[in-house]
Amino acid sequence: MPIVFAAAANHAPGITGRRDNAFPEQREVFFAAYAELRARLERARLDALIVVTAEHWTNFFLSNMPAFCVGLGESHVGPVEDEPFLKIPQARVPGAPVLARSVVDALGEAFDVAFSEELKLDHGAMVPLHLLVPSMAMPVVPIIINCLAQPMPRLGRCWQLGQALRAACATRPERIGLVCAGGLSHWPATPRSGKLNVEWDRAIVDALLAHDRQRLCAISDEEIVRDAGPGGHEIRAWAVLAGATDGEDGEVLCFEPIPAYAVTGAVVDMHVGGAGAVAAPADRLRDGSLPT
Ligand SMILES: [Fe+2]
């Protein structure tokens, strides 16, 4: 069936690890938005959640760096970060291996994605999961994007992955949610950490809401590094969401620059759960049938 929940949000480790360092009024707005998103996720009665996020040298290194990797595991352990740092206790998050294999198979029409039965989860998935599914009981299919090492997948390719995911999910019986978690501008692990480019961040969110493929996918890696720092490469997760929800309305629940978290705290919900649930275009279904 069509995707019934879709959202984008930040995953910066400071969100949980340095939660109280933000100004109280910023904290209030940001975490209220995440709480609202959680309430909407719960109303969507999901069977499984696909979490698209960035590689952070947790699973892969330069010896082998896939553009996209889908987690097929029965479960996923995370976070890899120490609890005193991230303030998230380690958990074993259930996987959704049948769904994950089906997604990999369906993506195979257009993408030769990597897959792994042993993906570990870091803050990229665990921060949004901690805030959206604190029980960690939701079956999760993680999808990791190379946002670290050149050559990275093009933004247009990430958009196409979103479209292919949309088609793959539409053939499945589960109620599936999609969370795409990545930073906007940020300069992690550099002396400029905490610097934000709020204007650039706003433009990315606006391009997502408008599904402005031309604008979003025309941004070069050189421009990203110049304007948004090395962490800006993580907008690939946002491009996946834009492709997966093309044509659907969305809503910014929060857009709050929070230097203490080293990101603009952005939470965006795409309105896909009602009558306008995200259906795959008929010509993208593998068997040629209309989505049900
Ligand atoms: Fe990240």
Side-chain angles (χ1 to χ4, degrees), residues 11 56 123 186 234:
H11 67 221
H56 298 105
H123 66 277
H186 63 304
E234 293 183 353

Side-chain angles (χ1 to χ4, degrees), residues 88-115:
I88 298 176
Q90 194 175 78
R92 184 174 286 277
V93 181
V98 174
L99 170 62
R101 285 185 181 277
S102 173
V103 166
V104 170
D105 185 45
L107 290 177
E109 294 283 307
F111 284 86
D112 297 315
V113 292
F115 54 86

